[in-house]
Amino acid sequence: ARGLVRHILARTDVATAVDDAIQVVQAYHLLSEREVYVTRIQVLVEHGLDTDVDALVAAMPVAVLPSVAHEIATWVQDTLQDDIDDVAGSSGQKTNPAAKGGIDEDDDEEEE
């Protein structure tokens, strides 16, 4: 089901892709709506479709926004760190070990 949902969401030319993927998720009960939104945002970002990301976030159910935002922020952080590591590796430089750890999730929970 995950591969099917990813295929549906990768179709950036299909306006109903999110709705179609949610129907699959509801039928199979193996994935969540959060995963649909996260995957679609990742696909849109990878294709440079920022306006579509804005529209999707505006239409997203409020209940899933915090978890989607957290997962996307983690994805962006991991992607940027991978890019930094790739650049540092190709130039022979070492990255800051503190940067490897990223955001400590335990710290976030204490602040709430």
Side-chain angles (χ1 to χ4, degrees):
R2 188 176 308 275
L4 175 60
V5 168
R6 176 87 180 156
H7 175 75
I8 292 168
L9 295 171
R11 298 288 314 268
T12 58
D13 59 327
V14 177
T16 61
V18 171
D19 294 331
D20 297 342
I22 288 173
Q23 286 181 5
V24 171
V25 166
Q26 290 171 344
Y28 285 100
H29 303 286
L30 298 174
L31 304 171
S32 67
E33 279 190 38
R34 178 191 52 78
E35 291 174 285
V36 168
Y37 288 111
V38 168
T39 301
R40 182 62 170 186
I41 290 170
Q42 289 170 336
V43 166
L44 294 173
V45 167
E46 289 167 353
H47 286 87
L49 300 171
D50 300 341
T51 305
D52 292 342
V53 172
D54 293 342
L56 178 59
V57 171
M60 198 179 302
V62 175
V64 298
L65 277 172
S67 61
V68 169
H70 178 75
E71 192 159 340
I72 290 297
T74 301
W75 173 70
V76 168
Q77 181 182 11
D78 292 346
T79 301
L80 291 174
Q81 188 60 52
D82 288 347
D83 290 347
I84 290 168
D85 292 345
D86 289 345
V87 169
S90 65
S91 66
Q93 297 176 352
K94 300 216 183 241
T95 58
N96 178 352
K100 280 283 207 191
I103 298 171
D104 187 354
E105 290 181 13
D106 293 334
D107 291 343
D108 291 341
E109 291 174 7
E110 291 175 10
E111 293 175 5
E112 290 179 14

